[in-house]
Amino acid sequence: GKTLVIATRSLYRCLRKDNYEIIILSPTKDQSGILFKKITNIIDKNPFFLEFLKEQPTKTSMNFRNGSSIKLVPASGVRGNSADEVIMDEGAFLTEEEYMATTPILAGKPTKAQTMLSTPFGKQGRFYQSCNSPSFKSWHLPARLVPHITPEYLALEKEQMTEQEYQQEYEAEFVEESDAYFPHRIIMASITDLENLEHPQWEASCNHWLGVDIARYGNDETAYGIIRQKSGGEEVELVHLSFEQKR
């Protein structure tokens, strides 16, 4: 359903706005093609729209008489383009490099929009961050609320999948990565006062360990964490956490 909604909205915006440019991308060309095909299907089933087209759409682009356009671009080749709106299909599966390549596309545009639609893929990446950011609006629709998916079908799928797989695919939930040693909820529950972690109190009788997660791409941050353990004790404590923007 999400693909049809975005396809309809894309066509509406191009018809109502002059010189409005939309770029559709995804991790693979085939995935982007599904959304683009939805748009062409809407046009084919409604001859009314044909008079607004400048020429017959190709497999990767369509141009309108008012100067608006919709273009299909592979995520790996998106750099150098310009658009008023970027639609990232299966956005949870884009790499950090591919996502960062989309941000300059919208630079300088008075009306700029960034849309991501996807099945969740763990508590990681830009799609997960965006769904939990106040800067974005998000909509969540599990399969049980979709009218044409029957309870019988979902029950059969649930029997054949792990709980984690079912939660991700049919409940549209951000589940823990399968290789995560500590679940995300446990890590967050262990941190109670971030402010006091900026200036740790050193204790000579304790052992201290420094962990560093180095920033690699775009606006990523390098994270520093220090834990300590009292001599002879079993418990460890996080005593420092800080971040440094990649330069």
Side-chain angles (χ1 to χ4, degrees):
K2 62 183 183 297
T3 302
L4 180 59
V5 169
I6 297 301
T8 304
R9 191 192 69 179
S10 299
L11 182 58
Y12 174 81
R13 286 180 172 176
C14 284
L15 293 177
R16 292 299 301 265
K17 299 181 179 183
D18 294 340
N19 304 308
Y20 192 78
E21 298 176 302
I22 295 177
I23 285 180
I24 300 172
L25 60 89
S26 71
T28 68
K29 184 178 179 181
D30 289 342
Q31 289 170 323
S32 303
I34 295 173
L35 175 55
F36 192 81
K37 184 64 176 176
K38 288 281 187 181
I39 300 173
T40 57
N41 284 344
I42 294 173
I43 294 175
D44 292 341
K45 293 178 180 179
N46 297 272
F48 166 78
F49 293 122
L50 294 176
E51 64 178 277
F52 296 96
L53 290 173
K54 188 176 181 180
E55 67 261 327
Q56 188 68 22
T58 69
K59 291 183 178 181
T60 58
S61 67
M62 62 178 66
N63 298 293
F64 300 86
R65 294 183 183 276
N66 64 354
S68 295
S69 64
I70 301 175
K71 185 164 58 173
L72 186 65
V73 178
S76 59
V78 73
R79 287 191 181 276
N81 287 278
S82 176
D84 298 277
E85 180 174 356
V86 176
I87 300 173
M88 290 167 270
D89 200 1
E90 294 301 341
F93 300 89
L94 289 172
T95 65
E96 179 71 9
E97 303 98 303
E98 290 169 340
Y99 174 85
M100 292 307 303
T102 68
T103 55
I105 293 176
L106 301 171
K109 292 290 185 176
T111 56
K112 54 187 177 182
Q114 187 183 65
T115 301
M116 284 187 279
L117 55 154
S118 183
T119 298
F121 186 55
K123 295 182 177 181
Q124 59 183 344
R126 292 288 180 160
F127 183 68
Y128 171 69
Q129 294 172 16
S130 299
C131 286
N132 291 277
S133 169
S135 300
F136 286 81
K137 293 182 179 179
S138 63
W139 290 264
H140 172 254
L141 185 66
R144 53 188 159 79
L145 299 182
V146 179
H148 64 268
I149 300 180
T150 65
E152 292 77 15
Y153 177 81
L154 292 177
L156 181 61
E157 287 292 279
K158 195 168 187 178
E159 289 180 1
Q160 299 177 9
M161 305 173 78
T162 66
E163 181 65 22
Q164 184 183 49
E165 290 170 339
Y166 185 83
Q167 289 293 320
Q168 177 169 285
E169 295 298 325
Y170 289 106
E171 290 296 323
E173 296 289 349
F174 291 100
V175 299
E176 303 291 345
E177 297 88 336
S178 59
D179 59 349
Y181 191 82
F182 295 107
H184 184 265
R185 65 181 184 279
I186 292 179
I187 295 175
M188 296 309 296
S190 301
I191 302 175
T192 57
D193 192 349
L194 287 175
E195 292 185 2
N196 289 337
L197 295 180
E198 295 182 2
H199 306 287
Q201 297 296 318
W202 298 100
E203 295 186 16
S205 61
C206 296
N207 296 316
H208 296 79
W209 291 272
L210 169 67
V212 182
D213 183 7
I214 299 176
R216 297 179 61 197
Y217 305 109
N219 293 325
D220 197 4
E221 295 177 317
T222 295
Y224 304 90
I226 299 175
I227 62 173
R228 72 183 175 198
Q229 181 184 43
K230 292 184 179 181
S231 299
E234 295 184 355
E235 294 184 355
V236 294
E237 178 185 12
L238 179 65
V239 295
H240 175 74
L241 185 63
S242 62
F243 303 91
E244 183 180 72
Q245 188 73 40
K246 181 178 182 296
R247 297 177 179 177

